[in-house]
Amino acid sequence: MRSVGTLTRADLAETINRKMGFSRSESLDMVESILAKMCDALSSGENVKISGFGSFVLRDKNERIGRNPKTGVEVPITPRRVMTFRASQKLKDRISAAS
């Protein structure tokens, strides 16, 4: 694996291709299928948990008053749903060990 940069879909597919022996197109289809399933679950309001990696959690935020930092004018911020990522302890430990 690489030590710097950004991990892409193509990188994931390449790893599946090398380690599992699937063709490049099958590997890319597999990555796309997994990401589509995750997107569908999140879109329908489900949280996504990947054991040993982390959880993608949906949170509903209420309407609140914000302030324009430049002018100081108060502005209402509309209610919305946001997604957060919570890393698993395993992932946190691995990242700490790598630094």
Side-chain angles (χ1 to χ4, degrees):
M1 211 79 185
R2 303 168 349 252
S3 60
V4 294
T6 302
L7 181 67
T8 65
R9 292 173 183 205
D11 295 330
L12 293 171
E14 177 63 28
T15 300
I16 292 170
N17 170 259
R18 271 188 290 113
K19 293 194 175 198
M20 304 298 290
F22 293 107
S23 72
R24 288 183 189 275
S25 65
E26 286 174 323
S27 299
L28 192 53
D29 287 346
M30 191 178 297
V31 170
E32 293 295 337
S33 179
I34 292 167
L35 294 175
K37 179 68 175 167
M38 290 172 63
C39 288
D40 291 345
L42 289 164
S43 295
S44 65
E46 294 177 68
N47 294 328
V48 174
K49 180 179 180 179
I50 302 171
S51 184
F53 181 72
S55 299
F56 297 90
V57 180
L58 295 171
R59 281 188 36 213
D60 290 317
K61 289 190 157 190
N62 295 324
E63 182 172 359
R64 60 190 172 92
I65 300 296
R67 190 178 306 272
N68 181 327
K70 205 172 207 176
T71 64
V73 175
E74 290 186 348
V75 180
I77 299 172
T78 57
R80 62 197 187 283
R81 177 172 279 175
V82 296
M83 182 187 67
T84 60
F85 176 74
R86 297 188 51 132
S88 72
Q89 192 58 49
K90 246 184 184 176
L91 179 59
K92 289 178 186 178
D93 294 343
R94 192 163 177 185
I95 290 169
S96 294
S99 358

